[in-house]
Amino acid sequence: MATILDADQIRAIEKRIEQVYELPPMPELARRILQLQSDPNAGAVQLANIVQLDPSLAAQVIRYASSAFYGYRGRISNIHDAISRVLGYDLVLNLALGLAAARSFRIPDDGPLGLSRFWEHAILSAVLTQKIGACMPAARRPQPGFSYLCGLLHDFGVLLLGHLFLPEFRLLNKFAAANPDKPLTELEGRLLGMGGARGLLAMGHARIGAWLMEAWKMPEAIAVTLLEHHNPDYRGAHEVSVHLVQLSDLLLSRASDMPEPSELPQALLDILEVPAERVLELAAQVSERKADLLALSALAATAS
């Protein structure tokens, strides 16, 4: 297990890293998309106007809307159609935000932590997290696009690790390939004391991701979700998003050997107020559409 650090130790590590390395800034396009989240008067027109400033990102969103996963039989030729006919404002906003934000990083494509596999897991997690969130009681149910964004971003700490500390990232990638059944948090712990990233690795990818979200001034709920998504004991203001991602990760890790309803953590089900049988049905739906979702993840990888 990774070393547990107190708040003062974490901040000291952050300061040392900031003195030597420069955190990647949030891309301007992502920043402009993020601003729409807090604008109650923003709508499809404003979002389309921003996304189409970047022809590559616009093309990615249009290809998403045209994909087999969404099943739209008409022709999508512009962002306005993608929003109004297929994906909706909320999903396009959060999808575009995630895709644009990921452009800050340059990491290898190969291995279980490489860019391709990162996006495979991110897209599967985003879709399953959104589906589980949608079946929660209305009083606690998060916005579908927000659930999607939490699933999409929750492992951004891995991207930052690879971006800042490539040698250590390559070693961690090899560890992950050689130990496919070991959780990433345990592998990070094995690398403590190795190379210049030892302090960063001691923080773990969850803390690293939260640090980045705070630096980018992302909503607090996003930062907390990244920080706590491996912590089954977390209770607090943002526990719904934390445990939605956690439950999705659990189900995706068992995709080839789906658990019985009684094997799912009852504490998570109680927090989310979702029945085990329904959660497993949703996981099966995502598994059945995995080929289509992996096609979407390939689009995301090419956009990064």
Side-chain angles (χ1 to χ4, degrees):
M1 296 296 292
T3 298
I4 297 176
L5 304 173
D6 63 32
D8 289 340
Q9 289 174 311
I10 288 169
R11 188 57 199 144
I13 292 169
E14 291 174 348
K15 286 184 176 179
R16 287 200 303 271
I17 296 169
E18 289 168 351
Q19 289 171 358
V20 180
Y21 300 92
E22 183 178 354
L23 279 178
M26 175 179 275
E28 179 58 28
L29 185 66
R31 190 177 303 280
R32 294 184 65 176
I33 295 170
L34 181 62
Q35 289 173 347
L36 291 184
Q37 284 190 326
S38 57
D39 184 353
N41 298 315
V45 172
Q46 289 82 1
L47 177 58
N49 288 342
I50 291 175
V51 172
Q52 63 194 11
L53 290 173
D54 187 315
S56 175
L57 181 61
Q60 296 300 112
V61 174
I62 291 170
R63 285 198 286 269
Y64 261 68
S66 303
S67 72
F69 179 75
Y70 291 104
Y72 182 74
R73 297 189 177 185
R75 183 172 181 271
I76 302 297
S77 58
N78 56 66
I79 290 294
H80 294 276
D81 288 346
I83 297 171
S84 62
R85 297 184 182 182
V86 187
L87 301 176
Y89 172 82
D90 197 34
L91 180 55
V92 170
L93 186 147
N94 289 290
L95 171 64
L97 176 58
L99 292 174
R103 291 180 174 180
S104 294
F105 308 100
R106 293 293 178 267
I107 70 168
D109 187 62
D110 59 309
L113 303 181
L115 197 61
S116 291
R117 291 286 293 276
F118 169 86
W119 278 114
E120 287 177 10
H121 181 67
I123 294 295
L124 289 169
S125 178
V127 170
L128 183 54
T129 300
Q130 183 183 46
K131 283 180 173 290
I132 297 173
C135 72
M136 290 178 59
R140 302 198 69 205
R141 186 184 306 154
Q143 288 290 330
F146 178 77
S147 298
Y148 188 96
L149 185 63
C150 287
L152 200 66
L153 301 184
H154 76 277
D155 276 336
F156 255 44
V158 175
L159 295 182
L160 181 58
L161 175 62
H163 183 82
L164 291 181
F165 295 100
L166 186 57
E168 290 81 4
F169 175 83
R170 291 188 187 279
L171 184 57
L172 185 61
N173 207 2
K174 289 181 180 179
F175 271 39
N179 300 274
D181 297 327
K182 299 291 185 183
L184 181 56
T185 50
E186 180 178 333
L187 299 179
E188 289 168 342
R190 292 187 186 184
L191 284 172
L192 292 181
M194 295 186 181
R198 59 185 179 272
L200 194 66
L201 284 166
M203 293 165 65
H205 75 279
R207 165 63 67 177
I208 296 164
W211 177 37
L212 179 68
M213 295 300 103
E214 292 165 359
W216 281 359
K217 303 189 184 309
M218 292 284 276
E220 179 183 303
I222 295 290
V224 172
T225 298
L226 269 65
L227 176 63
E228 302 288 355
H229 74 274
H230 286 292
N231 179 10
D233 298 321
Y234 173 75
R235 300 294 183 272
H238 307 298
E239 62 187 11
V240 166
S241 57
V242 167
H243 295 304
L244 276 174
V245 169
Q246 197 171 109
L247 184 55
S248 293
D249 271 359
L250 171 63
L251 292 165
L252 292 172
S253 73
R254 296 285 303 272
S256 60
D257 178 28
M258 200 60 69
E260 295 296 322
S262 60
E263 295 180 82
L264 295 179
Q266 191 59 48
L268 288 188
L269 298 175
D270 290 344
I271 290 170
L272 301 176
E273 299 182 60
V274 291
E277 293 78 7
R278 180 57 178 153
V279 166
L280 291 170
E281 287 176 11
L282 296 173
Q285 291 175 13
V286 171
S287 181
E288 289 169 3
R289 301 298 303 277
K290 186 174 180 178
D292 292 335
L293 288 169
L294 293 186
L296 291 182
S297 76
L299 291 177
T302 59
S304 301

